[in-house]
mmCIF file of all heavy atoms in Angstrom:
data_model
loop_
_atom_site.group_PDB
_atom_site.id
_atom_site.type_symbol
_atom_site.label_atom_id
_atom_site.label_comp_id
_atom_site.label_asym_id
_atom_site.label_seq_id
_atom_site.Cartn_x
_atom_site.Cartn_y
_atom_site.Cartn_z
ATOM 1 N N MET H 1 0.828 -1.157 -0.008
ATOM 2 C CA MET H 1 0.003 0.009 -0.025
ATOM 3 C C MET H 1 0.872 1.247 -0.011
ATOM 4 O O MET H 1 1.994 1.259 0.502
ATOM 5 C CB MET H 1 -0.899 -0.002 1.225
ATOM 6 C CG MET H 1 -1.933 -1.063 1.217
ATOM 7 S SD MET H 1 -3.259 -0.848 2.435
ATOM 8 C CE MET H 1 -2.386 -0.692 3.921
ATOM 9 N N ARG H 2 0.338 2.288 -0.526
ATOM 10 C CA ARG H 2 1.058 3.581 -0.478
ATOM 11 C C ARG H 2 1.067 4.097 0.937
ATOM 12 O O ARG H 2 0.177 3.739 1.743
ATOM 13 C CB ARG H 2 0.367 4.618 -1.392
ATOM 14 C CG ARG H 2 0.400 4.247 -2.823
ATOM 15 C CD ARG H 2 -0.142 5.375 -3.717
ATOM 16 N NE ARG H 2 -1.196 6.191 -3.107
ATOM 17 C CZ ARG H 2 -2.491 6.192 -3.490
ATOM 18 N NH1 ARG H 2 -2.878 5.457 -4.492
ATOM 19 N NH2 ARG H 2 -3.330 6.978 -2.867
ATOM 20 N N THR H 3 2.035 4.934 1.274
ATOM 21 C CA THR H 3 2.131 5.449 2.654
ATOM 22 C C THR H 3 0.932 6.262 3.063
ATOM 23 O O THR H 3 0.576 6.327 4.234
ATOM 24 C CB THR H 3 3.399 6.260 2.856
ATOM 25 O OG1 THR H 3 3.392 7.335 1.865
ATOM 26 C CG2 THR H 3 4.622 5.443 2.699
ATOM 27 N N ASP H 4 0.235 6.890 2.114
ATOM 28 C CA ASP H 4 -0.945 7.704 2.489
ATOM 29 C C ASP H 4 -2.193 6.838 2.613
ATOM 30 O O ASP H 4 -3.250 7.347 2.963
ATOM 31 C CB ASP H 4 -1.151 8.847 1.507
ATOM 32 C CG ASP H 4 -1.471 8.359 0.111
ATOM 33 O OD1 ASP H 4 -1.162 7.180 -0.211
ATOM 34 O OD2 ASP H 4 -1.986 9.169 -0.661
ATOM 35 N N GLU H 5 -2.143 5.534 2.344
ATOM 36 C CA GLU H 5 -3.310 4.691 2.434
ATOM 37 C C GLU H 5 -3.459 4.000 3.767
ATOM 38 O O GLU H 5 -4.437 3.412 4.035
ATOM 39 C CB GLU H 5 -3.259 3.580 1.340
ATOM 40 C CG GLU H 5 -3.530 4.090 -0.060
ATOM 41 C CD GLU H 5 -3.534 2.987 -1.042
ATOM 42 O OE1 GLU H 5 -2.598 2.198 -1.051
ATOM 43 O OE2 GLU H 5 -4.509 2.916 -1.774
ATOM 44 N N ASN H 6 -2.402 4.062 4.604
ATOM 45 C CA ASN H 6 -2.491 3.288 5.827
ATOM 46 C C ASN H 6 -2.208 4.112 7.049
ATOM 47 O O ASN H 6 -1.697 3.615 8.012
ATOM 48 C CB ASN H 6 -1.571 2.043 5.762
ATOM 49 C CG ASN H 6 -0.092 2.489 5.518
ATOM 50 O OD1 ASN H 6 0.187 3.622 5.402
ATOM 51 N ND2 ASN H 6 0.797 1.517 5.389
ATOM 52 N N LEU H 7 -2.499 5.416 7.006
ATOM 53 C CA LEU H 7 -2.260 6.302 8.137
ATOM 54 C C LEU H 7 -3.599 6.515 8.877
ATOM 55 O O LEU H 7 -4.616 6.636 8.274
ATOM 56 C CB LEU H 7 -1.683 7.612 7.721
ATOM 57 C CG LEU H 7 -0.292 7.601 7.164
ATOM 58 C CD1 LEU H 7 0.127 9.013 6.780
ATOM 59 C CD2 LEU H 7 0.705 7.028 8.188
ATOM 60 N N PHE H 8 -3.481 6.599 10.190
ATOM 61 C CA PHE H 8 -4.639 6.876 11.011
ATOM 62 C C PHE H 8 -4.193 7.953 12.028
ATOM 63 O O PHE H 8 -3.208 7.736 12.767
ATOM 64 C CB PHE H 8 -5.150 5.631 11.766
ATOM 65 C CG PHE H 8 -6.180 5.893 12.828
ATOM 66 C CD1 PHE H 8 -7.470 6.174 12.421
ATOM 67 C CD2 PHE H 8 -5.852 5.903 14.166
ATOM 68 C CE1 PHE H 8 -8.430 6.400 13.362
ATOM 69 C CE2 PHE H 8 -6.812 6.132 15.114
ATOM 70 C CZ PHE H 8 -8.109 6.382 14.700
ATOM 71 N N HIS H 9 -4.865 9.050 12.086
ATOM 72 C CA HIS H 9 -4.502 10.145 12.974
ATOM 73 C C HIS H 9 -5.376 10.052 14.249
ATOM 74 O O HIS H 9 -6.520 10.447 14.217
ATOM 75 C CB HIS H 9 -4.657 11.476 12.318
ATOM 76 C CG HIS H 9 -3.781 11.653 11.136
ATOM 77 N ND1 HIS H 9 -2.446 11.898 11.235
ATOM 78 C CD2 HIS H 9 -4.018 11.542 9.818
ATOM 79 C CE1 HIS H 9 -1.871 11.941 10.025
ATOM 80 N NE2 HIS H 9 -2.829 11.763 9.161
ATOM 81 N N GLY H 10 -4.806 9.461 15.272
ATOM 82 C CA GLY H 10 -5.518 9.269 16.520
ATOM 83 C C GLY H 10 -4.786 8.261 17.341
ATOM 84 O O GLY H 10 -3.688 7.822 16.978
ATOM 85 N N PRO H 11 -5.312 7.890 18.505
ATOM 86 C CA PRO H 11 -4.613 6.909 19.362
ATOM 87 C C PRO H 11 -4.531 5.567 18.608
ATOM 88 O O PRO H 11 -5.493 5.105 18.021
ATOM 89 C CB PRO H 11 -5.456 6.801 20.593
ATOM 90 C CG PRO H 11 -6.653 7.613 20.356
ATOM 91 C CD PRO H 11 -6.542 8.344 19.106
ATOM 92 N N ALA H 12 -3.353 4.942 18.669
ATOM 93 C CA ALA H 12 -3.135 3.711 18.008
ATOM 94 C C ALA H 12 -3.923 2.578 18.693
ATOM 95 O O ALA H 12 -3.957 2.524 19.923
ATOM 96 C CB ALA H 12 -1.662 3.309 17.986
ATOM 97 N N PRO H 13 -4.574 1.708 17.938
ATOM 98 C CA PRO H 13 -5.226 0.559 18.572
ATOM 99 C C PRO H 13 -4.215 -0.350 19.197
ATOM 100 O O PRO H 13 -3.060 -0.427 18.744
ATOM 101 C CB PRO H 13 -5.968 -0.115 17.414
ATOM 102 C CG PRO H 13 -5.373 0.428 16.181
ATOM 103 C CD PRO H 13 -4.720 1.675 16.502
ATOM 104 N N ALA H 14 -4.597 -1.041 20.230
ATOM 105 C CA ALA H 14 -3.654 -1.945 20.962
ATOM 106 C C ALA H 14 -3.835 -3.373 20.466
ATOM 107 O O ALA H 14 -4.815 -3.718 19.828
ATOM 108 C CB ALA H 14 -3.958 -1.896 22.446
ATOM 109 N N VAL H 15 -2.843 -4.210 20.769
ATOM 110 C CA VAL H 15 -2.853 -5.580 20.399
ATOM 111 C C VAL H 15 -4.132 -6.217 20.964
ATOM 112 O O VAL H 15 -4.437 -6.052 22.122
ATOM 113 C CB VAL H 15 -1.609 -6.322 20.921
ATOM 114 C CG1 VAL H 15 -1.704 -7.809 20.714
ATOM 115 C CG2 VAL H 15 -0.357 -5.788 20.172
ATOM 116 N N GLY H 16 -4.856 -6.975 20.146
ATOM 117 C CA GLY H 16 -6.070 -7.610 20.591
ATOM 118 C C GLY H 16 -7.338 -6.831 20.183
ATOM 119 O O GLY H 16 -8.414 -7.392 20.191
ATOM 120 N N ASP H 17 -7.198 -5.568 19.821
ATOM 121 C CA ASP H 17 -8.337 -4.741 19.450
ATOM 122 C C ASP H 17 -8.899 -5.250 18.062
ATOM 123 O O ASP H 17 -8.197 -5.690 17.209
ATOM 124 C CB ASP H 17 -7.985 -3.291 19.275
ATOM 125 C CG ASP H 17 -7.849 -2.555 20.580
ATOM 126 O OD1 ASP H 17 -8.165 -3.177 21.626
ATOM 127 O OD2 ASP H 17 -7.388 -1.445 20.575
ATOM 128 N N LEU H 18 -10.242 -5.176 17.925
ATOM 129 C CA LEU H 18 -10.928 -5.489 16.707
ATOM 130 C C LEU H 18 -11.327 -4.230 16.034
ATOM 131 O O LEU H 18 -11.913 -3.357 16.695
ATOM 132 C CB LEU H 18 -12.107 -6.410 16.970
ATOM 133 C CG LEU H 18 -11.840 -7.734 17.656
ATOM 134 C CD1 LEU H 18 -13.137 -8.455 17.938
ATOM 135 C CD2 LEU H 18 -10.898 -8.561 16.869
ATOM 136 N N LEU H 19 -11.129 -4.090 14.730
ATOM 137 C CA LEU H 19 -11.453 -2.861 13.985
ATOM 138 C C LEU H 19 -12.155 -3.197 12.710
ATOM 139 O O LEU H 19 -11.954 -4.294 12.143
ATOM 140 C CB LEU H 19 -10.122 -2.081 13.655
ATOM 141 C CG LEU H 19 -9.276 -1.654 14.799
ATOM 142 C CD1 LEU H 19 -7.936 -1.134 14.203
ATOM 143 C CD2 LEU H 19 -9.926 -0.643 15.650
ATOM 144 N N SER H 20 -12.875 -2.270 12.206
ATOM 145 C CA SER H 20 -13.477 -2.363 10.876
ATOM 146 C C SER H 20 -12.619 -1.398 10.011
ATOM 147 O O SER H 20 -12.450 -0.232 10.353
ATOM 148 C CB SER H 20 -14.925 -1.898 10.902
ATOM 149 O OG SER H 20 -15.466 -2.036 9.622
ATOM 150 N N VAL H 21 -12.048 -1.941 8.907
ATOM 151 C CA VAL H 21 -11.119 -1.207 8.055
ATOM 152 C C VAL H 21 -11.666 -1.046 6.662
ATOM 153 O O VAL H 21 -12.287 -1.961 6.132
ATOM 154 C CB VAL H 21 -9.766 -1.970 8.034
ATOM 155 C CG1 VAL H 21 -8.773 -1.314 7.118
ATOM 156 C CG2 VAL H 21 -9.177 -2.136 9.411
ATOM 157 N N LYS H 22 -11.447 0.116 6.091
ATOM 158 C CA LYS H 22 -11.758 0.293 4.672
ATOM 159 C C LYS H 22 -10.451 0.547 3.935
ATOM 160 O O LYS H 22 -9.697 1.424 4.261
ATOM 161 C CB LYS H 22 -12.676 1.500 4.509
ATOM 162 C CG LYS H 22 -13.167 1.624 3.071
ATOM 163 C CD LYS H 22 -14.197 2.712 2.934
ATOM 164 C CE LYS H 22 -14.745 2.715 1.522
ATOM 165 N NZ LYS H 22 -15.804 3.738 1.373
ATOM 166 N N CYS H 23 -10.224 -0.316 2.955
ATOM 167 C CA CYS H 23 -8.942 -0.235 2.195
ATOM 168 C C CYS H 23 -9.216 -0.544 0.726
ATOM 169 O O CYS H 23 -9.784 -1.598 0.396
ATOM 170 C CB CYS H 23 -7.995 -1.291 2.779
ATOM 171 S SG CYS H 23 -6.417 -1.347 1.871
ATOM 172 N N ARG H 24 -8.858 0.447 -0.115
ATOM 173 C CA ARG H 24 -9.023 0.295 -1.553
ATOM 174 C C ARG H 24 -10.417 -0.099 -1.962
ATOM 175 O O ARG H 24 -10.660 -1.000 -2.784
ATOM 176 C CB ARG H 24 -8.010 -0.679 -2.124
ATOM 177 C CG ARG H 24 -6.571 -0.202 -1.927
ATOM 178 C CD ARG H 24 -5.574 -1.074 -2.582
ATOM 179 N NE ARG H 24 -4.270 -0.512 -2.288
ATOM 180 C CZ ARG H 24 -3.140 -0.980 -2.760
ATOM 181 N NH1 ARG H 24 -3.185 -2.013 -3.566
ATOM 182 N NH2 ARG H 24 -1.998 -0.414 -2.510
ATOM 183 N N GLY H 25 -11.441 0.538 -1.311
ATOM 184 C CA GLY H 25 -12.830 0.277 -1.649
ATOM 185 C C GLY H 25 -13.465 -0.912 -0.996
ATOM 186 O O GLY H 25 -14.580 -1.203 -1.252
ATOM 187 N N ARG H 26 -12.725 -1.655 -0.195
ATOM 188 C CA ARG H 26 -13.228 -2.847 0.447
ATOM 189 C C ARG H 26 -13.327 -2.632 2.001
ATOM 190 O O ARG H 26 -12.438 -2.031 2.557
ATOM 191 C CB ARG H 26 -12.229 -4.000 0.144
ATOM 192 C CG ARG H 26 -12.869 -5.305 0.130
ATOM 193 C CD ARG H 26 -11.843 -6.385 -0.251
ATOM 194 N NE ARG H 26 -11.892 -7.308 0.872
ATOM 195 C CZ ARG H 26 -10.869 -7.867 1.437
ATOM 196 N NH1 ARG H 26 -9.649 -7.666 1.034
ATOM 197 N NH2 ARG H 26 -11.006 -8.724 2.416
ATOM 198 N N GLN H 27 -14.381 -3.079 2.588
ATOM 199 C CA GLN H 27 -14.568 -2.958 4.041
ATOM 200 C C GLN H 27 -14.460 -4.339 4.656
ATOM 201 O O GLN H 27 -15.092 -5.271 4.205
ATOM 202 C CB GLN H 27 -15.948 -2.356 4.333
ATOM 203 C CG GLN H 27 -16.214 -2.156 5.783
ATOM 204 C CD GLN H 27 -16.129 -0.723 6.251
ATOM 205 O OE1 GLN H 27 -16.119 0.133 5.429
ATOM 206 N NE2 GLN H 27 -16.034 -0.513 7.529
ATOM 207 N N PHE H 28 -13.625 -4.491 5.691
ATOM 208 C CA PHE H 28 -13.496 -5.784 6.353
ATOM 209 C C PHE H 28 -13.044 -5.584 7.803
ATOM 210 O O PHE H 28 -12.568 -4.540 8.191
ATOM 211 C CB PHE H 28 -12.491 -6.683 5.630
ATOM 212 C CG PHE H 28 -11.185 -6.060 5.331
ATOM 213 C CD1 PHE H 28 -10.092 -6.254 6.160
ATOM 214 C CD2 PHE H 28 -11.012 -5.270 4.209
ATOM 215 C CE1 PHE H 28 -8.875 -5.663 5.890
ATOM 216 C CE2 PHE H 28 -9.794 -4.719 3.918
ATOM 217 C CZ PHE H 28 -8.699 -4.894 4.754
ATOM 218 N N ASP H 29 -13.204 -6.633 8.618
ATOM 219 C CA ASP H 29 -12.810 -6.628 10.020
ATOM 220 C C ASP H 29 -11.415 -7.184 10.214
ATOM 221 O O ASP H 29 -11.049 -8.135 9.524
ATOM 222 C CB ASP H 29 -13.830 -7.415 10.875
ATOM 223 C CG ASP H 29 -15.190 -6.775 10.882
ATOM 224 O OD1 ASP H 29 -15.265 -5.540 10.805
ATOM 225 O OD2 ASP H 29 -16.130 -7.524 10.953
ATOM 226 N N VAL H 30 -10.640 -6.598 11.105
ATOM 227 C CA VAL H 30 -9.289 -7.066 11.439
ATOM 228 C C VAL H 30 -9.079 -7.112 12.899
ATOM 229 O O VAL H 30 -9.791 -6.468 13.691
ATOM 230 C CB VAL H 30 -8.185 -6.169 10.800
ATOM 231 C CG1 VAL H 30 -8.297 -6.160 9.269
ATOM 232 C CG2 VAL H 30 -8.231 -4.778 11.374
ATOM 233 N N GLU H 31 -8.115 -7.908 13.317
ATOM 234 C CA GLU H 31 -7.621 -7.924 14.733
ATOM 235 C C GLU H 31 -6.172 -7.471 14.692
ATOM 236 O O GLU H 31 -5.385 -7.986 13.916
ATOM 237 C CB GLU H 31 -7.711 -9.384 15.299
ATOM 238 C CG GLU H 31 -7.153 -9.470 16.679
ATOM 239 C CD GLU H 31 -7.093 -10.927 17.174
ATOM 240 O OE1 GLU H 31 -7.324 -11.842 16.372
ATOM 241 O OE2 GLU H 31 -6.859 -11.100 18.362
ATOM 242 N N ILE H 32 -5.823 -6.608 15.616
ATOM 243 C CA ILE H 32 -4.443 -6.143 15.734
ATOM 244 C C ILE H 32 -3.657 -7.264 16.447
ATOM 245 O O ILE H 32 -4.014 -7.636 17.524
ATOM 246 C CB ILE H 32 -4.332 -4.798 16.532
ATOM 247 C CG1 ILE H 32 -5.226 -3.724 15.890
ATOM 248 C CG2 ILE H 32 -2.874 -4.389 16.669
ATOM 249 C CD1 ILE H 32 -4.871 -3.439 14.473
ATOM 250 N N VAL H 33 -2.583 -7.720 15.782
ATOM 251 C CA VAL H 33 -1.826 -8.878 16.350
ATOM 252 C C VAL H 33 -0.401 -8.498 16.772
ATOM 253 O O VAL H 33 0.254 -9.286 17.466
ATOM 254 C CB VAL H 33 -1.782 -10.060 15.366
ATOM 255 C CG1 VAL H 33 -3.159 -10.658 15.182
ATOM 256 C CG2 VAL H 33 -1.158 -9.692 14.065
ATOM 257 N N TRP H 34 0.043 -7.316 16.367
ATOM 258 C CA TRP H 34 1.433 -6.896 16.690
ATOM 259 C C TRP H 34 1.524 -5.366 16.587
ATOM 260 O O TRP H 34 0.913 -4.796 15.735
ATOM 261 C CB TRP H 34 2.426 -7.525 15.708
ATOM 262 C CG TRP H 34 3.846 -7.297 16.120
ATOM 263 C CD1 TRP H 34 4.647 -8.092 16.939
ATOM 264 C CD2 TRP H 34 4.675 -6.229 15.675
ATOM 265 N NE1 TRP H 34 5.881 -7.559 17.058
ATOM 266 C CE2 TRP H 34 5.943 -6.375 16.278
ATOM 267 C CE3 TRP H 34 4.480 -5.071 14.896
ATOM 268 C CZ2 TRP H 34 6.953 -5.476 16.078
ATOM 269 C CZ3 TRP H 34 5.514 -4.222 14.700
ATOM 270 C CH2 TRP H 34 6.778 -4.433 15.294
ATOM 271 N N GLY H 35 2.272 -4.766 17.457
ATOM 272 C CA GLY H 35 2.499 -3.336 17.357
ATOM 273 C C GLY H 35 2.431 -2.591 18.644
ATOM 274 O O GLY H 35 3.436 -2.443 19.332
ATOM 275 N N ASN H 36 1.258 -2.110 18.991
ATOM 276 C CA ASN H 36 1.104 -1.238 20.160
ATOM 277 C C ASN H 36 0.769 -2.069 21.397
ATOM 278 O O ASN H 36 -0.329 -2.606 21.553
ATOM 279 C CB ASN H 36 -0.039 -0.200 19.910
ATOM 280 C CG ASN H 36 -0.173 0.742 21.071
ATOM 281 O OD1 ASN H 36 0.727 0.962 21.858
ATOM 282 N ND2 ASN H 36 -1.362 1.393 21.150
ATOM 283 N N TRP H 37 1.735 -2.179 22.310
ATOM 284 C CA TRP H 37 1.559 -2.942 23.516
ATOM 285 C C TRP H 37 1.168 -2.043 24.728
ATOM 286 O O TRP H 37 0.981 -2.537 25.799
ATOM 287 C CB TRP H 37 2.814 -3.719 23.842
ATOM 288 C CG TRP H 37 3.192 -4.611 22.738
ATOM 289 C CD1 TRP H 37 4.060 -4.343 21.722
ATOM 290 C CD2 TRP H 37 2.709 -5.906 22.452
ATOM 291 N NE1 TRP H 37 4.121 -5.356 20.839
ATOM 292 C CE2 TRP H 37 3.318 -6.368 21.256
ATOM 293 C CE3 TRP H 37 1.812 -6.757 23.115
ATOM 294 C CZ2 TRP H 37 3.052 -7.608 20.715
ATOM 295 C CZ3 TRP H 37 1.522 -7.992 22.569
ATOM 296 C CH2 TRP H 37 2.146 -8.390 21.370
ATOM 297 N N GLU H 38 1.063 -0.738 24.476
ATOM 298 C CA GLU H 38 0.737 0.197 25.547
ATOM 299 C C GLU H 38 -0.742 0.550 25.515
ATOM 300 O O GLU H 38 -1.152 1.499 24.882
ATOM 301 C CB GLU H 38 1.573 1.471 25.352
ATOM 302 C CG GLU H 38 3.051 1.232 25.358
ATOM 303 C CD GLU H 38 3.838 2.495 25.067
ATOM 304 O OE1 GLU H 38 3.313 3.601 25.322
ATOM 305 O OE2 GLU H 38 4.991 2.368 24.599
ATOM 306 N N PHE H 39 -1.540 -0.245 26.204
ATOM 307 C CA PHE H 39 -3.014 -0.071 26.166
ATOM 308 C C PHE H 39 -3.421 1.276 26.772
ATOM 309 O O PHE H 39 -2.965 1.634 27.835
ATOM 310 C CB PHE H 39 -3.665 -1.234 26.939
ATOM 311 C CG PHE H 39 -3.440 -2.563 26.306
ATOM 312 C CD1 PHE H 39 -2.407 -3.360 26.656
ATOM 313 C CD2 PHE H 39 -4.308 -3.017 25.318
ATOM 314 C CE1 PHE H 39 -2.148 -4.569 26.027
ATOM 315 C CE2 PHE H 39 -4.104 -4.231 24.721
ATOM 316 C CZ PHE H 39 -3.033 -5.007 25.093
ATOM 317 N N GLY H 40 -4.263 1.979 26.042
ATOM 318 C CA GLY H 40 -4.807 3.240 26.561
ATOM 319 C C GLY H 40 -3.880 4.403 26.574
ATOM 320 O O GLY H 40 -4.168 5.436 27.155
ATOM 321 N N VAL H 41 -2.734 4.348 25.903
ATOM 322 C CA VAL H 41 -1.773 5.408 25.862
ATOM 323 C C VAL H 41 -1.880 6.167 24.550
ATOM 324 O O VAL H 41 -1.838 5.556 23.501
ATOM 325 C CB VAL H 41 -0.338 4.897 26.043
ATOM 326 C CG1 VAL H 41 0.657 6.000 25.913
ATOM 327 C CG2 VAL H 41 -0.216 4.211 27.393
ATOM 328 N N GLU H 42 -2.047 7.489 24.621
ATOM 329 C CA GLU H 42 -2.061 8.311 23.416
ATOM 330 C C GLU H 42 -0.648 8.765 23.195
ATOM 331 O O GLU H 42 0.075 9.127 24.093
ATOM 332 C CB GLU H 42 -3.002 9.469 23.586
ATOM 333 C CG GLU H 42 -4.445 9.047 23.626
ATOM 334 C CD GLU H 42 -5.374 10.225 23.449
ATOM 335 O OE1 GLU H 42 -5.054 11.138 22.753
ATOM 336 O OE2 GLU H 42 -6.437 10.208 24.107
ATOM 337 N N THR H 43 -0.234 8.802 21.905
ATOM 338 C CA THR H 43 1.135 9.170 21.571
ATOM 339 C C THR H 43 1.165 9.905 20.206
ATOM 340 O O THR H 43 0.280 9.764 19.414
ATOM 341 C CB THR H 43 2.039 7.938 21.506
ATOM 342 O OG1 THR H 43 3.347 8.347 21.224
ATOM 343 C CG2 THR H 43 1.587 6.920 20.510
ATOM 344 N N ASP H 44 2.195 10.697 20.049
ATOM 345 C CA ASP H 44 2.371 11.392 18.757
ATOM 346 C C ASP H 44 3.332 10.716 17.860
ATOM 347 O O ASP H 44 3.641 11.173 16.769
ATOM 348 C CB ASP H 44 2.900 12.815 18.996
ATOM 349 C CG ASP H 44 1.834 13.684 19.661
ATOM 350 O OD1 ASP H 44 0.640 13.401 19.471
ATOM 351 O OD2 ASP H 44 2.209 14.673 20.337
ATOM 352 N N ARG H 45 3.865 9.553 18.226
ATOM 353 C CA ARG H 45 4.811 8.858 17.370
ATOM 354 C C ARG H 45 4.084 7.858 16.437
ATOM 355 O O ARG H 45 2.945 7.453 16.711
ATOM 356 C CB ARG H 45 5.862 8.134 18.198
ATOM 357 C CG ARG H 45 5.274 7.086 19.142
ATOM 358 C CD ARG H 45 6.364 6.572 20.120
ATOM 359 N NE ARG H 45 5.684 6.021 21.258
ATOM 360 C CZ ARG H 45 5.680 4.731 21.522
ATOM 361 N NH1 ARG H 45 6.348 3.864 20.779
ATOM 362 N NH2 ARG H 45 5.010 4.254 22.559
ATOM 363 N N VAL H 46 4.787 7.469 15.421
ATOM 364 C CA VAL H 46 4.237 6.488 14.503
ATOM 365 C C VAL H 46 4.410 5.073 15.080
ATOM 366 O O VAL H 46 5.502 4.699 15.500
ATOM 367 C CB VAL H 46 4.949 6.586 13.105
ATOM 368 C CG1 VAL H 46 4.465 5.464 12.199
ATOM 369 C CG2 VAL H 46 4.712 7.902 12.478
ATOM 370 N N ILE H 47 3.321 4.334 15.120
ATOM 371 C CA ILE H 47 3.355 2.946 15.621
ATOM 372 C C ILE H 47 2.987 2.066 14.473
ATOM 373 O O ILE H 47 1.867 2.129 13.909
ATOM 374 C CB ILE H 47 2.451 2.756 16.798
ATOM 375 C CG1 ILE H 47 2.872 3.681 17.940
ATOM 376 C CG2 ILE H 47 2.424 1.311 17.252
ATOM 377 C CD1 ILE H 47 1.987 3.600 19.160
ATOM 378 N N HIS H 48 3.878 1.183 14.040
ATOM 379 C CA HIS H 48 3.614 0.248 12.981
ATOM 380 C C HIS H 48 2.820 -0.925 13.575
ATOM 381 O O HIS H 48 3.205 -1.502 14.577
ATOM 382 C CB HIS H 48 4.909 -0.236 12.372
ATOM 383 C CG HIS H 48 5.706 0.843 11.767
ATOM 384 N ND1 HIS H 48 5.460 1.329 10.504
ATOM 385 C CD2 HIS H 48 6.711 1.635 12.267
ATOM 386 C CE1 HIS H 48 6.277 2.337 10.258
ATOM 387 N NE2 HIS H 48 7.061 2.555 11.306
ATOM 388 N N LEU H 49 1.732 -1.272 12.896
ATOM 389 C CA LEU H 49 0.827 -2.322 13.369
ATOM 390 C C LEU H 49 0.758 -3.443 12.341
ATOM 391 O O LEU H 49 0.938 -3.229 11.152
ATOM 392 C CB LEU H 49 -0.604 -1.783 13.554
ATOM 393 C CG LEU H 49 -0.779 -0.619 14.513
ATOM 394 C CD1 LEU H 49 -2.182 -0.113 14.455
ATOM 395 C CD2 LEU H 49 -0.435 -0.995 15.918
ATOM 396 N N ARG H 50 0.497 -4.624 12.835
ATOM 397 C CA ARG H 50 0.231 -5.771 11.969
ATOM 398 C C ARG H 50 -1.169 -6.268 12.344
ATOM 399 O O ARG H 50 -1.455 -6.466 13.544
ATOM 400 C CB ARG H 50 1.275 -6.864 12.176
ATOM 401 C CG ARG H 50 1.081 -8.008 11.240
ATOM 402 C CD ARG H 50 2.306 -8.840 11.119
ATOM 403 N NE ARG H 50 3.340 -8.013 10.469
ATOM 404 C CZ ARG H 50 4.580 -8.395 10.406
ATOM 405 N NH1 ARG H 50 5.011 -9.539 10.893
ATOM 406 N NH2 ARG H 50 5.485 -7.589 9.825
ATOM 407 N N ALA H 51 -2.013 -6.445 11.330
ATOM 408 C CA ALA H 51 -3.371 -6.893 11.598
ATOM 409 C C ALA H 51 -3.657 -8.154 10.751
ATOM 410 O O ALA H 51 -3.067 -8.421 9.763
ATOM 411 C CB ALA H 51 -4.317 -5.766 11.134
ATOM 412 N N ARG H 52 -4.616 -8.874 11.321
ATOM 413 C CA ARG H 52 -5.080 -10.135 10.707
ATOM 414 C C ARG H 52 -6.516 -9.960 10.272
ATOM 415 O O ARG H 52 -7.398 -9.621 11.130
ATOM 416 C CB ARG H 52 -4.936 -11.298 11.698
ATOM 417 C CG ARG H 52 -5.520 -12.585 11.287
ATOM 418 C CD ARG H 52 -5.255 -13.656 12.333
ATOM 419 N NE ARG H 52 -6.009 -13.464 13.567
ATOM 420 C CZ ARG H 52 -7.142 -14.064 13.844
ATOM 421 N NH1 ARG H 52 -7.698 -14.888 12.950
ATOM 422 N NH2 ARG H 52 -7.801 -13.845 14.947
ATOM 423 N N GLU H 53 -6.805 -10.269 9.032
ATOM 424 C CA GLU H 53 -8.188 -10.189 8.574
ATOM 425 C C GLU H 53 -9.039 -11.306 9.191
ATOM 426 O O GLU H 53 -8.595 -12.430 9.223
ATOM 427 C CB GLU H 53 -8.267 -10.274 7.022
ATOM 428 C CG GLU H 53 -9.636 -10.041 6.495
ATOM 429 C CD GLU H 53 -9.699 -10.025 4.974
ATOM 430 O OE1 GLU H 53 -8.649 -10.013 4.312
ATOM 431 O OE2 GLU H 53 -10.819 -9.973 4.433
ATOM 432 N N LEU H 54 -10.207 -10.931 9.631
ATOM 433 C CA LEU H 54 -11.110 -11.948 10.220
ATOM 434 C C LEU H 54 -12.089 -12.501 9.242
ATOM 435 O O LEU H 54 -12.410 -11.870 8.295
ATOM 436 C CB LEU H 54 -11.883 -11.320 11.430
ATOM 437 C CG LEU H 54 -11.005 -10.771 12.547
ATOM 438 C CD1 LEU H 54 -11.863 -10.100 13.603
ATOM 439 C CD2 LEU H 54 -10.200 -11.894 13.196
#
C-alpha cells in the first residue's frame, strides 16, 4: 500500500483490538496482532501495526 493509504490520525489501537477497516474500496474486520503494547496510551509517534483479517 502507499504510505498515504495506511495512516490513522488518533490513538493507535492496541494488540487484541478488533477494528473495521476500509482499504481500496473494500470494508473488512481485522484484529491487531502486533505493534502497540501500551494499552490506553495516546502518543504522537508512528506505531507500525500488523493486523489479521477476520
Side-chain angles (χ1 to χ4, degrees):
M1 292 194 306
R2 297 186 327 247
T3 56
D4 64 341
E5 286 184 310
N6 58 1
L7 292 179
F8 171 76
H9 299 284
V15 172
D17 284 352
L18 302 176
L19 303 170
S20 182
V21 177
K22 186 173 185 179
C23 179
R24 297 186 180 185
R26 210 177 123 221
Q27 181 105 15
F28 52 95
D29 295 327
V30 298
E31 176 186 11
I32 304 301
V33 295
W34 187 89
N36 183 21
W37 302 94
E38 302 176 24
F39 295 90
V41 175
E42 292 193 34
T43 181
D44 290 335
R45 62 190 158 110
V46 174
I47 298 177
H48 299 277
L49 303 173
R50 184 161 295 170
R52 170 177 73 95
E53 185 176 352
L54 300 176

